[in-house]
Amino acid sequence: MIILDLEDAVKEGDKEAAREAAVAAAGAMGDRPVAIRVNGEDSEHWKADLKAVRKSAATHVVLPKVEKPQTISTAAIYAKKPILAMIETAAGVMNVGPIASTTGYRVDLAGLIVGSNDLAASLKLPPAAGRAQMALALQLIVLAARGREIWALDGVFNRLDDPDGLARECAEGRLLGFDGKTLIHPEQIDIARAAFDPSEAELDAARALIAAATGGAERFDDAMIEDMHVDQARALLARAGR
């Protein structure tokens, strides 16, 4: 998915021109999923952005700094598109369960995105802090997404000249349960895809487990397996197929 940004990436004086450009670009993407990140609820551009997204060919709308369910409900009425909610503040993390469970008229919440840079600032972490200091917040976001069976997308990796660091962070994100990672440069795509795609070894193991399972609890490859593990293996194969 390509995400076109109207918020932090755009100077205040360029907001209207950026909105028009994003709508035009969304219409030129063909079948590729494309989202538009609008300005925040406290911005004078909020409703105009949402209405523009509604009329555009964008497949999703991204909401920044979501802190309460009402933000989702309001945006759904104006945008009428599937929503990706960014959790970027301490208040957003504390309310992430209710946010993920938002229901109402036209509400279609597709997933949660970690806004790691703003979240670090909201938590008042020192410059030397890293992912370990946000571990609880990251896990709460994944838990909320899993409770609703919606996407959980990890935050961006800022250092463009550190592919090894990106690979480590992607691997960590997958271990935490994230479905994928938000990126800020095309050169990051292949690294993220390699980290989140199931490996051939994982796929072979999944096929072997499915073939060996006969139902109920049983022993396989020196471990106890049951129907849940078969379901997980099938889900892994389905992900690889997609």
PDB file of all heavy atoms in Angstrom, residues 187-215:
ATOM      1  N   GLU A 187      13.650   1.917  -0.825  1.00  0.00           N
ATOM      2  CA  GLU A 187      14.725   0.954  -0.596  1.00  0.00           C
ATOM      3  C   GLU A 187      14.477   0.082   0.639  1.00  0.00           C
ATOM      4  O   GLU A 187      15.164  -0.916   0.838  1.00  0.00           O
ATOM      5  CB  GLU A 187      16.066   1.673  -0.480  1.00  0.00           C
ATOM      6  CG  GLU A 187      16.550   2.261  -1.801  1.00  0.00           C
ATOM      7  CD  GLU A 187      17.915   2.895  -1.687  1.00  0.00           C
ATOM      8  OE1 GLU A 187      18.483   2.915  -0.558  1.00  0.00           O
ATOM      9  OE2 GLU A 187      18.420   3.388  -2.713  1.00  0.00           O
ATOM     10  N   GLN A 188      13.497   0.443   1.451  1.00  0.00           N
ATOM     11  CA  GLN A 188      13.181  -0.355   2.635  1.00  0.00           C
ATOM     12  C   GLN A 188      12.206  -1.497   2.342  1.00  0.00           C
ATOM     13  O   GLN A 188      12.033  -2.392   3.170  1.00  0.00           O
ATOM     14  CB  GLN A 188      12.588   0.544   3.719  1.00  0.00           C
ATOM     15  CG  GLN A 188      13.541   1.622   4.238  1.00  0.00           C
ATOM     16  CD  GLN A 188      12.899   2.471   5.321  1.00  0.00           C
ATOM     17  OE1 GLN A 188      11.698   2.751   5.289  1.00  0.00           O
ATOM     18  NE2 GLN A 188      13.692   2.900   6.296  1.00  0.00           N
ATOM     19  N   ILE A 189      11.588  -1.476   1.168  1.00  0.00           N
ATOM     20  CA  ILE A 189      10.504  -2.419   0.885  1.00  0.00           C
ATOM     21  C   ILE A 189      10.979  -3.864   0.894  1.00  0.00           C
ATOM     22  O   ILE A 189      10.389  -4.732   1.553  1.00  0.00           O
ATOM     23  CB  ILE A 189       9.832  -2.083  -0.458  1.00  0.00           C
ATOM     24  CG1 ILE A 189       9.114  -0.738  -0.360  1.00  0.00           C
ATOM     25  CG2 ILE A 189       8.848  -3.182  -0.866  1.00  0.00           C
ATOM     26  CD1 ILE A 189       8.564  -0.230  -1.683  1.00  0.00           C
ATOM     27  N   ASP A 190      12.038  -4.157   0.152  1.00  0.00           N
ATOM     28  CA  ASP A 190      12.494  -5.550   0.034  1.00  0.00           C
ATOM     29  C   ASP A 190      12.927  -6.121   1.380  1.00  0.00           C
ATOM     30  O   ASP A 190      12.689  -7.298   1.669  1.00  0.00           O
ATOM     31  CB  ASP A 190      13.641  -5.653  -0.971  1.00  0.00           C
ATOM     32  CG  ASP A 190      13.169  -5.464  -2.409  1.00  0.00           C
ATOM     33  OD1 ASP A 190      11.954  -5.592  -2.649  1.00  0.00           O
ATOM     34  OD2 ASP A 190      14.016  -5.185  -3.281  1.00  0.00           O
ATOM     35  N   ILE A 191      13.556  -5.282   2.206  1.00  0.00           N
ATOM     36  CA  ILE A 191      14.006  -5.748   3.519  1.00  0.00           C
ATOM     37  C   ILE A 191      12.798  -6.097   4.396  1.00  0.00           C
ATOM     38  O   ILE A 191      12.771  -7.149   5.052  1.00  0.00           O
ATOM     39  CB  ILE A 191      14.875  -4.675   4.201  1.00  0.00           C
ATOM     40  CG1 ILE A 191      16.192  -4.481   3.412  1.00  0.00           C
ATOM     41  CG2 ILE A 191      15.180  -5.049   5.649  1.00  0.00           C
ATOM     42  CD1 ILE A 191      17.026  -3.318   3.898  1.00  0.00           C
ATOM     43  N   ALA A 192      11.799  -5.237   4.389  1.00  0.00           N
ATOM     44  CA  ALA A 192      10.607  -5.492   5.204  1.00  0.00           C
ATOM     45  C   ALA A 192       9.856  -6.717   4.695  1.00  0.00           C
ATOM     46  O   ALA A 192       9.387  -7.545   5.478  1.00  0.00           O
ATOM     47  CB  ALA A 192       9.699  -4.272   5.191  1.00  0.00           C
ATOM     48  N   ARG A 193       9.750  -6.830   3.379  1.00  0.00           N
ATOM     49  CA  ARG A 193       9.021  -7.971   2.816  1.00  0.00           C
ATOM     50  C   ARG A 193       9.712  -9.276   3.189  1.00  0.00           C
ATOM     51  O   ARG A 193       9.063 -10.267   3.533  1.00  0.00           O
ATOM     52  CB  ARG A 193       8.930  -7.818   1.295  1.00  0.00           C
ATOM     53  CG  ARG A 193       8.200  -8.957   0.611  1.00  0.00           C
ATOM     54  CD  ARG A 193       8.001  -8.642  -0.862  1.00  0.00           C
ATOM     55  NE  ARG A 193       7.011  -7.589  -1.041  1.00  0.00           N
ATOM     56  CZ  ARG A 193       6.998  -6.737  -2.065  1.00  0.00           C
ATOM     57  NH1 ARG A 193       7.956  -6.794  -2.972  1.00  0.00           N
ATOM     58  NH2 ARG A 193       6.046  -5.836  -2.171  1.00  0.00           N
ATOM     59  N   ALA A 194      11.034  -9.288   3.107  1.00  0.00           N
ATOM     60  CA  ALA A 194      11.776 -10.508   3.457  1.00  0.00           C
ATOM     61  C   ALA A 194      11.580 -10.884   4.917  1.00  0.00           C
ATOM     62  O   ALA A 194      11.501 -12.059   5.273  1.00  0.00           O
ATOM     63  CB  ALA A 194      13.263 -10.310   3.162  1.00  0.00           C
ATOM     64  N   ALA A 195      11.467  -9.883   5.786  1.00  0.00           N
ATOM     65  CA  ALA A 195      11.313 -10.151   7.215  1.00  0.00           C
ATOM     66  C   ALA A 195       9.926 -10.669   7.553  1.00  0.00           C
ATOM     67  O   ALA A 195       9.777 -11.547   8.411  1.00  0.00           O
ATOM     68  CB  ALA A 195      11.611  -8.886   8.017  1.00  0.00           C
ATOM     69  N   PHE A 196       8.897 -10.135   6.900  1.00  0.00           N
ATOM     70  CA  PHE A 196       7.534 -10.496   7.249  1.00  0.00           C
ATOM     71  C   PHE A 196       6.983 -11.654   6.435  1.00  0.00           C
ATOM     72  O   PHE A 196       6.023 -12.291   6.856  1.00  0.00           O
ATOM     73  CB  PHE A 196       6.613  -9.274   7.128  1.00  0.00           C
ATOM     74  CG  PHE A 196       6.723  -8.331   8.293  1.00  0.00           C
ATOM     75  CD1 PHE A 196       7.607  -7.262   8.263  1.00  0.00           C
ATOM     76  CD2 PHE A 196       5.984  -8.526   9.444  1.00  0.00           C
ATOM     77  CE1 PHE A 196       7.724  -6.400   9.338  1.00  0.00           C
ATOM     78  CE2 PHE A 196       6.093  -7.676  10.528  1.00  0.00           C
ATOM     79  CZ  PHE A 196       6.974  -6.602  10.479  1.00  0.00           C
ATOM     80  N   ASP A 197       7.569 -11.931   5.280  1.00  0.00           N
ATOM     81  CA  ASP A 197       7.145 -13.106   4.520  1.00  0.00           C
ATOM     82  C   ASP A 197       7.577 -14.370   5.254  1.00  0.00           C
ATOM     83  O   ASP A 197       8.697 -14.441   5.774  1.00  0.00           O
ATOM     84  CB  ASP A 197       7.776 -13.111   3.131  1.00  0.00           C
ATOM     85  CG  ASP A 197       7.008 -12.260   2.141  1.00  0.00           C
ATOM     86  OD1 ASP A 197       5.897 -11.827   2.473  1.00  0.00           O
ATOM     87  OD2 ASP A 197       7.520 -12.036   1.032  1.00  0.00           O
ATOM     88  N   PRO A 198       6.737 -15.405   5.297  1.00  0.00           N
ATOM     89  CA  PRO A 198       7.169 -16.683   5.869  1.00  0.00           C
ATOM     90  C   PRO A 198       8.350 -17.248   5.079  1.00  0.00           C
ATOM     91  O   PRO A 198       8.366 -17.181   3.846  1.00  0.00           O
ATOM     92  CB  PRO A 198       5.925 -17.577   5.716  1.00  0.00           C
ATOM     93  CG  PRO A 198       4.777 -16.626   5.569  1.00  0.00           C
ATOM     94  CD  PRO A 198       5.322 -15.435   4.861  1.00  0.00           C
ATOM     95  N   SER A 199       9.334 -17.785   5.793  1.00  0.00           N
ATOM     96  CA  SER A 199      10.494 -18.381   5.126  1.00  0.00           C
ATOM     97  C   SER A 199      10.119 -19.745   4.547  1.00  0.00           C
ATOM     98  O   SER A 199       9.107 -20.347   4.922  1.00  0.00           O
ATOM     99  CB  SER A 199      11.647 -18.543   6.119  1.00  0.00           C
ATOM    100  OG  SER A 199      11.308 -19.520   7.100  1.00  0.00           O
ATOM    101  N   GLU A 200      10.962 -20.249   3.641  1.00  0.00           N
ATOM    102  CA  GLU A 200      10.710 -21.573   3.061  1.00  0.00           C
ATOM    103  C   GLU A 200      10.720 -22.643   4.144  1.00  0.00           C
ATOM    104  O   GLU A 200       9.952 -23.612   4.090  1.00  0.00           O
ATOM    105  CB  GLU A 200      11.748 -21.872   1.987  1.00  0.00           C
ATOM    106  CG  GLU A 200      11.500 -21.139   0.678  1.00  0.00           C
ATOM    107  CD  GLU A 200      10.119 -21.416   0.095  1.00  0.00           C
ATOM    108  OE1 GLU A 200       9.693 -22.597   0.094  1.00  0.00           O
ATOM    109  OE2 GLU A 200       9.455 -20.469  -0.351  1.00  0.00           O
ATOM    110  N   ALA A 201      11.609 -22.477   5.136  1.00  0.00           N
ATOM    111  CA  ALA A 201      11.656 -23.448   6.237  1.00  0.00           C
ATOM    112  C   ALA A 201      10.354 -23.447   7.021  1.00  0.00           C
ATOM    113  O   ALA A 201       9.838 -24.507   7.404  1.00  0.00           O
ATOM    114  CB  ALA A 201      12.836 -23.131   7.157  1.00  0.00           C
ATOM    115  N   GLU A 202       9.788 -22.259   7.265  1.00  0.00           N
ATOM    116  CA  GLU A 202       8.505 -22.163   7.976  1.00  0.00           C
ATOM    117  C   GLU A 202       7.385 -22.797   7.157  1.00  0.00           C
ATOM    118  O   GLU A 202       6.520 -23.495   7.704  1.00  0.00           O
ATOM    119  CB  GLU A 202       8.180 -20.702   8.250  1.00  0.00           C
ATOM    120  CG  GLU A 202       9.027 -20.054   9.328  1.00  0.00           C
ATOM    121  CD  GLU A 202       8.698 -18.591   9.499  1.00  0.00           C
ATOM    122  OE1 GLU A 202       8.850 -17.829   8.532  1.00  0.00           O
ATOM    123  OE2 GLU A 202       8.261 -18.203  10.602  1.00  0.00           O
ATOM    124  N   LEU A 203       7.401 -22.570   5.855  1.00  0.00           N
ATOM    125  CA  LEU A 203       6.358 -23.131   4.997  1.00  0.00           C
ATOM    126  C   LEU A 203       6.457 -24.655   4.927  1.00  0.00           C
ATOM    127  O   LEU A 203       5.440 -25.354   4.977  1.00  0.00           O
ATOM    128  CB  LEU A 203       6.450 -22.525   3.596  1.00  0.00           C
ATOM    129  CG  LEU A 203       6.185 -21.018   3.516  1.00  0.00           C
ATOM    130  CD1 LEU A 203       6.406 -20.514   2.089  1.00  0.00           C
ATOM    131  CD2 LEU A 203       4.777 -20.684   3.976  1.00  0.00           C
ATOM    132  N   ASP A 204       7.688 -25.158   4.831  1.00  0.00           N
ATOM    133  CA  ASP A 204       7.877 -26.618   4.809  1.00  0.00           C
ATOM    134  C   ASP A 204       7.390 -27.243   6.108  1.00  0.00           C
ATOM    135  O   ASP A 204       6.732 -28.297   6.107  1.00  0.00           O
ATOM    136  CB  ASP A 204       9.353 -26.953   4.577  1.00  0.00           C
ATOM    137  CG  ASP A 204       9.802 -26.662   3.150  1.00  0.00           C
ATOM    138  OD1 ASP A 204       8.926 -26.514   2.266  1.00  0.00           O
ATOM    139  OD2 ASP A 204      11.026 -26.570   2.920  1.00  0.00           O
ATOM    140  N   ALA A 205       7.709 -26.586   7.230  1.00  0.00           N
ATOM    141  CA  ALA A 205       7.286 -27.102   8.524  1.00  0.00           C
ATOM    142  C   ALA A 205       5.758 -27.072   8.649  1.00  0.00           C
ATOM    143  O   ALA A 205       5.154 -28.002   9.194  1.00  0.00           O
ATOM    144  CB  ALA A 205       7.923 -26.292   9.647  1.00  0.00           C
ATOM    145  N   ALA A 206       5.137 -26.034   8.124  1.00  0.00           N
ATOM    146  CA  ALA A 206       3.684 -25.937   8.188  1.00  0.00           C
ATOM    147  C   ALA A 206       3.027 -27.046   7.362  1.00  0.00           C
ATOM    148  O   ALA A 206       2.065 -27.678   7.805  1.00  0.00           O
ATOM    149  CB  ALA A 206       3.240 -24.562   7.678  1.00  0.00           C
ATOM    150  N   ARG A 207       3.563 -27.292   6.178  1.00  0.00           N
ATOM    151  CA  ARG A 207       3.003 -28.354   5.333  1.00  0.00           C
ATOM    152  C   ARG A 207       3.153 -29.720   6.014  1.00  0.00           C
ATOM    153  O   ARG A 207       2.242 -30.552   5.980  1.00  0.00           O
ATOM    154  CB  ARG A 207       3.697 -28.347   3.977  1.00  0.00           C
ATOM    155  CG  ARG A 207       3.450 -27.086   3.146  1.00  0.00           C
ATOM    156  CD  ARG A 207       4.049 -27.212   1.754  1.00  0.00           C
ATOM    157  NE  ARG A 207       4.012 -25.936   1.050  1.00  0.00           N
ATOM    158  CZ  ARG A 207       5.051 -25.122   0.907  1.00  0.00           C
ATOM    159  NH1 ARG A 207       6.229 -25.448   1.429  1.00  0.00           N
ATOM    160  NH2 ARG A 207       4.928 -23.980   0.249  1.00  0.00           N
ATOM    161  N   ALA A 208       4.309 -29.939   6.617  1.00  0.00           N
ATOM    162  CA  ALA A 208       4.556 -31.223   7.277  1.00  0.00           C
ATOM    163  C   ALA A 208       3.625 -31.419   8.466  1.00  0.00           C
ATOM    164  O   ALA A 208       3.112 -32.528   8.699  1.00  0.00           O
ATOM    165  CB  ALA A 208       6.014 -31.306   7.725  1.00  0.00           C
ATOM    166  N   LEU A 209       3.399 -30.351   9.215  1.00  0.00           N
ATOM    167  CA  LEU A 209       2.506 -30.445  10.369  1.00  0.00           C
ATOM    168  C   LEU A 209       1.080 -30.776   9.925  1.00  0.00           C
ATOM    169  O   LEU A 209       0.431 -31.650  10.511  1.00  0.00           O
ATOM    170  CB  LEU A 209       2.540 -29.128  11.140  1.00  0.00           C
ATOM    171  CG  LEU A 209       1.822 -29.100  12.494  1.00  0.00           C
ATOM    172  CD1 LEU A 209       2.494 -28.094  13.432  1.00  0.00           C
ATOM    173  CD2 LEU A 209       0.345 -28.727  12.340  1.00  0.00           C
ATOM    174  N   ILE A 210       0.611 -30.095   8.892  1.00  0.00           N
ATOM    175  CA  ILE A 210      -0.747 -30.340   8.396  1.00  0.00           C
ATOM    176  C   ILE A 210      -0.881 -31.781   7.907  1.00  0.00           C
ATOM    177  O   ILE A 210      -1.881 -32.465   8.181  1.00  0.00           O
ATOM    178  CB  ILE A 210      -1.091 -29.349   7.269  1.00  0.00           C
ATOM    179  CG1 ILE A 210      -1.193 -27.929   7.835  1.00  0.00           C
ATOM    180  CG2 ILE A 210      -2.401 -29.737   6.578  1.00  0.00           C
ATOM    181  CD1 ILE A 210      -1.274 -26.846   6.784  1.00  0.00           C
ATOM    182  N   ALA A 211       0.134 -32.257   7.194  1.00  0.00           N
ATOM    183  CA  ALA A 211       0.086 -33.617   6.658  1.00  0.00           C
ATOM    184  C   ALA A 211       0.097 -34.661   7.767  1.00  0.00           C
ATOM    185  O   ALA A 211      -0.524 -35.728   7.640  1.00  0.00           O
ATOM    186  CB  ALA A 211       1.264 -33.838   5.712  1.00  0.00           C
ATOM    187  N   ALA A 212       0.795 -34.366   8.861  1.00  0.00           N
ATOM    188  CA  ALA A 212       0.934 -35.345   9.941  1.00  0.00           C
ATOM    189  C   ALA A 212      -0.248 -35.347  10.903  1.00  0.00           C
ATOM    190  O   ALA A 212      -0.510 -36.356  11.563  1.00  0.00           O
ATOM    191  CB  ALA A 212       2.218 -35.071  10.721  1.00  0.00           C
ATOM    192  N   ALA A 213      -0.976 -34.251  10.987  1.00  0.00           N
ATOM    193  CA  ALA A 213      -2.047 -34.120  11.977  1.00  0.00           C
ATOM    194  C   ALA A 213      -3.224 -35.024  11.630  1.00  0.00           C
ATOM    195  O   ALA A 213      -3.659 -35.082  10.484  1.00  0.00           O
ATOM    196  CB  ALA A 213      -2.502 -32.665  12.058  1.00  0.00           C
ATOM    197  N   THR A 214      -3.739 -35.699  12.644  1.00  0.00           N
ATOM    198  CA  THR A 214      -4.902 -36.580  12.457  1.00  0.00           C
ATOM    199  C   THR A 214      -6.075 -36.165  13.336  1.00  0.00           C
ATOM    200  O   THR A 214      -7.113 -36.807  13.340  1.00  0.00           O
ATOM    201  CB  THR A 214      -4.519 -38.043  12.769  1.00  0.00           C
ATOM    202  OG1 THR A 214      -4.084 -38.123  14.134  1.00  0.00           O
ATOM    203  CG2 THR A 214      -3.413 -38.525  11.841  1.00  0.00           C
ATOM    204  N   GLY A 215      -5.908 -35.072  14.095  1.00  0.00           N
ATOM    205  CA  GLY A 215      -6.983 -34.572  14.944  1.00  0.00           C
ATOM    206  C   GLY A 215      -6.696 -34.767  16.410  1.00  0.00           C
ATOM    207  O   GLY A 215      -6.121 -35.778  16.819  1.00  0.00           O
TER     208      GLY A 215
END
